[in-house]
């Protein structure tokens, strides 16, 4: 076995490097041992000095203590002490150099005033975020932020207060963002914020609104409250660009656009996105106010038995006529309410209000009628849905059999087992369940045949061309046969003509509703209808 020339390490330890046929685990052991030795060199040197001193004392013990021997021992102790001091000095100098290197490295990538990442570090993170967004098909956002009225603060209170305002603003920005987001100080009163991993532009609006809120709280400078605002421009990856320089440029342009508009604190680069996001923000405020002030309205469309055109029930529909007409043309408020999380409380209000209305009619001495209430996906998925239905039934004293919950196919087919469990719990309360927008083959395909449905609805899109469309006739006939086989009640909605009514009668459909009989009515109009019938 060949060995290299021995290399002497501190404290007289020799280490041999096994080049050929040596043991890698042994080399790893020695390397770790040397690292630990260097980290505790003063301790080992002290032990060595104590050992030498002990040996000398034992040697002296066998001789007479003469001045010469004593001097020799003192010289060894002095040499050990000298080396200990020298090594300690080198050690401290190395630590000092290491700290300076770390400080220089930190300053190379961070802003000296705020401690935020500087442009070099920001560009590195921007490239990483865009690559991550590309791989995972996410949105990322670059936000240019400029503090309004900062020059006034600098001129009136001095540069020291201006610097303090910048530092405090940086702290607030960091406090309202996620740990994965990056804030970079561009210079002066400008910041660039990098937001990663979003699924839709509306999420970025939420963050921008939160930034507005924290910056608009007064800052205390020299004991005085100072209020500022900020203008932000937002560029989205990949909608506004895929290259870092393009996103930075477009966020800057959007920021200046925000500054040029009154009462606009942030602006998306793409005008259509900006309109959509701000419309949804306006819609959110309108929906919240409508819910708090109960501006929604319920209407009741009569349902009739085909055989004798007898009034047997009603379908409740939710309307919002007092909202902004501009909003209603820009987007579907029901869809927006579902996305924004308002549909659960709105739906709860609708069920409770409808049941109270039925209680009022029954207390007035009118015959009980079946009431069908549409349920949204978010309502049905809520963990509190079944309990809320039970509470409303108990509060109003309505017979559960008079309440029919209207569910669409998509709600129940997304997770058949979970849906089935919840439907069984609802049936134990005594309420009826109807399936809306039914498609043929659903029961065989999804395993829904065993679900506790009471009724099935033929959708209005199927009824519209029923008389003239052979395919619609075949489909309607198939659904009727399936409903009869499963013992389900069949309701056709959207009936507008006598021809459609007669054809449904021919198919042996049992119930109908639509404009042929009546449009949805407000409570007073429906009350009049009940009296007439």
């Amino acid at each position: 076995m060949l060995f290299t020339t021995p290399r002497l390490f501190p404290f007289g330890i020799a280490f041999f490097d096994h080049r050929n046929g040596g043991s890698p685990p042994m080399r790893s052991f020695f390397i770790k041992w040397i690292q630990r030795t260097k980290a505790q060199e003063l301790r080992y040197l002290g032990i060595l000095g104590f050992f030498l001193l002990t040996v000398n004392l034992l040697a002296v013990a066998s001789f007479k203590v003469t001045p010469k021997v004593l001097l020799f021992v003192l010289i060894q102790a002095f040499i050990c002490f000298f080396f200990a001091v020298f090594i300690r000095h080198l050690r401290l100098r190395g630590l000092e150099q290491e700290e300076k290197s770390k400080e220089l490295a930190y300053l190379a990538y961070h802003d000296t005033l705020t401690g935020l990442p500087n442009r070099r570090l920001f560009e590195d993170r921007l490239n990483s975020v865009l690559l991550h967004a590309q791989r995972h098909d996410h949105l990322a956002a670059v936000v240019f932020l400029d503090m309004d009225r900062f020059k006034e603060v600098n001129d009136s209170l001095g540069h020291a207060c201006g610097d303090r305002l910048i530092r405090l603003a940086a702290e607030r920005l960091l406090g309202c963002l996620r740990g994965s987001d990056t804030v970079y100080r561009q210079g002066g009163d400008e910041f660039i914020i990098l937001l990663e991993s979003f699924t839709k532009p509306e999420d970025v609006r939420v963050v921008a609104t939160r930034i507005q809120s924290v910056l608009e709280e007064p800052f205390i400078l020299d004991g005085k409250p100072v209020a500022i605002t900020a203008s932000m421009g937002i560029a989205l990856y990949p909608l506004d660009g895929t290259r870092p320089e393009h996103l930075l440029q477009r966020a800057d342009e959007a920021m200046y656009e925000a500054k040029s508009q009154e009462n606009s604190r942030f602006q998306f680069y793409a005008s259509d996105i900006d309109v959509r996001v701000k419309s949804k923000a306006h819609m959110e405020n309108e929906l919240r106010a409508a819910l708090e002030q109960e501006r929604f309205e319920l209407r009741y469309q009569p349902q009739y038995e085909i055989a004798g055109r007898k009034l047997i029930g009603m379908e409740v529909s939710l309307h919002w006529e007092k909202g902004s007409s501009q909003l209603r043309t820009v987007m579907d408020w029901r869809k927006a309410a579902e996305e924004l999380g308002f549909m659960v409380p709105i739906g709860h209000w609708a069920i409770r209000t409808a049941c109270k209305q039925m209680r009022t009619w029954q207390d007035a001495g009118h015959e009980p009628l079946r009431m069908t209430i549409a349920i949204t996906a978010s309502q049905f998925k809520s963990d509190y849905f079944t309990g809320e239905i039970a509470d409303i039934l108990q509060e109003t004293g309505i017979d559960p059999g008079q309440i029919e919950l209207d569910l669409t196919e998509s709600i129940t087919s997304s997770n058949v087992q979970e849906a089935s469990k919840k439907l069984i719990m609802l049936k134990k309360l005594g309420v009826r369940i109807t399936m809306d927008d039914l498609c043929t083959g659903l029961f065989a395909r999804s395993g829904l045949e065993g679900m506790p449905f009471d009724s099935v609805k033929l959708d209005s899109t199927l009824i519209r061309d029923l008389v003239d469309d052979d395919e619609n006739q075949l489909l309607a006939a198939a659904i009727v046969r399936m409903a009869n086989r499963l013992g389900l009640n069949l309701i056709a909605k959207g009936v507008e003509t006598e021809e459609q009514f007669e054809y449904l009668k021919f198919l042996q459909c049992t119930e109908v509703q639509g404009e042929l009989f009546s449009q949805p009515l407000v409570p007073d109009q429906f009350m009049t209808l009940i009296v007439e019938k």
Side-chain angles (χ1 to χ4, degrees):
M1 184 181 293
L2 297 177
F3 300 91
T4 59
T5 305
R7 292 179 292 169
L8 296 178
F9 284 84
F11 327 128
I13 304 298
F15 171 67
F16 296 91
D17 187 11
H18 298 234
R19 299 288 185 182
N20 299 312
S23 171
M26 185 63 70
R27 285 201 302 273
S28 175
F29 170 77
F30 277 119
I31 290 172
K32 291 180 180 179
W33 182 84
I34 290 170
Q35 290 174 345
R36 288 197 299 268
T37 302
K38 288 182 177 180
Q40 304 183 37
E41 54 199 359
L42 291 179
R43 181 180 299 176
Y44 288 133
L45 191 59
I47 294 173
L48 179 61
F50 179 78
F51 175 74
L52 291 174
L53 185 60
T54 303
V55 170
N56 280 278
L57 289 174
L58 291 173
V60 169
S62 61
F63 301 99
K64 289 184 178 182
V65 179
T66 63
K68 184 176 180 180
V69 172
L70 188 60
L71 178 63
F72 181 70
V73 173
L74 290 175
I75 289 173
Q76 289 187 71
F78 176 77
I79 291 173
C80 287
F81 177 75
F82 173 77
F83 274 106
V85 172
F86 179 70
I87 292 174
R88 181 176 180 276
H89 173 73
L90 292 178
R91 178 73 174 170
L92 292 176
R93 189 172 180 181
L95 291 174
E96 185 179 347
Q97 290 293 335
E98 186 178 348
E99 289 296 325
K100 286 184 178 179
S101 298
K102 289 182 179 178
E103 185 178 353
L104 290 174
Y106 181 83
L107 293 176
Y109 290 98
H110 292 82
D111 175 55
T112 55
L113 178 62
T114 62
L116 297 175
N118 62 11
R119 189 173 188 88
R120 183 188 300 180
L121 180 56
F122 176 79
E123 289 177 348
D124 180 63
R125 291 188 180 176
L126 177 57
N127 288 321
S128 299
V129 167
L130 297 187
L131 182 61
H132 182 271
Q134 181 182 10
R135 287 175 177 173
H136 296 85
D137 196 23
H138 288 165
L139 291 177
V142 175
V143 182
F144 253 80
L145 185 148
D146 183 82
M147 296 169 61
D148 304 321
R149 297 180 57 247
F150 176 74
K151 188 176 183 302
E152 297 178 18
V153 176
N154 244 355
D155 294 342
S156 59
L157 299 179
H159 291 284
C161 286
D163 289 346
R164 176 166 172 74
L165 178 58
I166 292 292
R167 286 194 295 270
L168 292 174
E171 292 175 4
R172 291 190 184 183
L173 288 174
L174 290 174
C176 72
L177 297 174
R178 302 169 300 176
S180 59
D181 299 327
T182 303
V183 183
Y184 147 60
R185 185 181 173 222
Q186 170 84 341
D189 59 344
E190 291 185 342
F191 296 87
I192 301 180
I193 303 168
L194 178 59
L195 307 174
E196 61 174 305
S197 298
F198 287 97
T199 56
K200 55 184 182 296
E202 288 77 10
D203 297 334
V204 182
R205 178 195 67 81
V206 173
V207 178
T209 304
R210 188 162 63 239
I211 292 173
Q212 285 179 346
S213 178
V214 299
L215 291 182
E216 287 176 358
E217 294 181 13
F219 294 84
I220 305 301
L221 303 175
D222 277 353
K224 301 176 182 178
V226 176
I228 64 165
T229 56
S231 298
M232 287 174 279
I234 303 170
L236 299 176
Y237 171 91
L239 304 178
D240 298 326
T242 57
R243 299 178 61 180
E245 58 270 22
H246 292 164
L247 292 170
L248 291 169
Q249 177 185 353
R250 288 162 185 173
D252 191 26
E253 293 175 8
M255 185 265 291
Y256 280 105
E257 180 66 23
K259 274 187 171 294
S260 67
Q261 299 181 11
E262 288 189 25
N263 301 322
S264 178
R265 292 290 175 251
F266 63 86
Q267 176 84 24
F268 284 84
Y269 175 77
S271 58
D272 57 333
I273 293 177
D274 191 68
V275 170
R276 188 173 83 241
V277 169
K278 289 182 178 177
S279 295
K280 184 165 284 189
H282 190 190
M283 174 72 78
E284 182 177 355
N285 293 332
E286 289 275 345
L287 285 170
R288 182 176 289 106
L291 183 60
E292 291 173 354
Q293 301 170 20
E294 297 188 358
R295 297 179 188 169
F296 297 103
E297 183 180 62
L298 296 183
R299 296 182 186 176
Y300 305 84
Q301 186 170 40
Q303 296 173 327
Y304 293 88
E305 193 178 60
I306 281 187
R309 297 201 180 193
K310 178 185 176 183
L311 177 65
I312 56 173
M314 72 201 81
E315 180 176 14
V316 181
S317 57
L318 181 67
H319 295 262
W320 182 32
E321 296 295 342
K322 297 181 180 178
S324 168
S325 59
Q326 181 181 1
L327 282 179
R328 291 199 299 273
T329 57
V330 171
M331 64 178 68
D332 180 1
W333 71 265
R334 289 180 178 81
K335 182 179 179 181
E338 188 83 15
E339 291 178 359
L340 294 169
F342 284 103
M343 214 60 216
V344 172
I346 291 174
H348 180 267
W349 174 87
I351 296 172
R352 186 170 181 270
T353 303
C355 289
K356 289 174 69 176
Q357 181 63 67
M358 178 179 279
R359 178 78 271 165
T360 300
W361 286 331
Q362 291 183 8
D363 290 344
H366 297 290
E367 181 183 354
L369 297 172
R370 185 189 65 215
M371 178 181 286
T372 304
I373 307 173
I375 304 300
T376 65
S378 57
Q379 283 180 270
F380 188 74
K381 291 177 182 177
S382 172
D383 295 335
Y384 307 103
F385 178 64
T386 306
E388 289 175 347
I389 296 294
D391 291 341
I392 291 172
L393 291 173
Q394 184 176 6
E395 176 190 354
T396 57
I398 295 296
D399 178 6
Q402 296 170 3
I403 302 299
E404 188 170 65
L405 303 180
D406 188 353
L407 308 176
T408 62
E409 174 191 341
S410 59
I411 294 176
T412 52
S413 62
S414 58
N415 189 328
V416 175
Q417 291 183 346
E418 289 297 322
S420 181
K421 290 179 182 178
K422 186 164 287 189
L423 289 175
I424 291 172
M425 293 174 64
L426 290 169
K427 285 298 295 180
K428 287 181 179 179
L429 296 178
V431 299
R432 295 171 56 85
I433 307 293
T434 184
M435 170 67 74
D436 203 349
D437 299 336
L438 183 66
C439 175
T440 55
L442 171 68
F443 289 84
R445 183 177 69 250
S446 306
L448 293 178
E449 187 167 355
M451 283 192 173
F453 294 119
D454 297 284
S455 302
V456 174
K457 281 190 175 182
L458 289 174
D459 191 66
S460 57
T461 56
L462 182 65
I463 303 300
R464 186 181 303 120
D465 300 320
L466 182 63
V467 177
D468 302 318
D469 192 315
D470 293 340
E471 290 186 2
N472 280 13
Q473 292 174 4
L474 291 173
L475 183 58
I479 295 176
V480 170
R481 286 196 300 270
M482 180 187 65
N484 291 335
R485 177 173 62 85
L486 296 173
L488 301 177
N489 187 40
L490 189 62
I491 307 171
K493 64 179 186 179
V495 180
E496 299 177 351
T497 65
E498 283 290 343
E499 289 80 5
Q500 294 170 347
F501 175 79
E502 291 299 329
Y503 198 89
L504 289 168
K505 191 175 182 179
F506 167 74
L507 290 176
Q508 297 182 344
C509 182
T510 52
E511 298 176 13
V512 290
Q513 68 184 78
E515 293 188 4
L516 175 63
F517 304 95
S518 174
Q519 294 181 343
L521 305 173
V522 298
D524 290 343
Q525 293 173 330
F526 196 86
M527 179 77 166
T528 303
L529 178 69
I530 293 175
V531 172
E532 291 175 353
K533 294 296 180 181

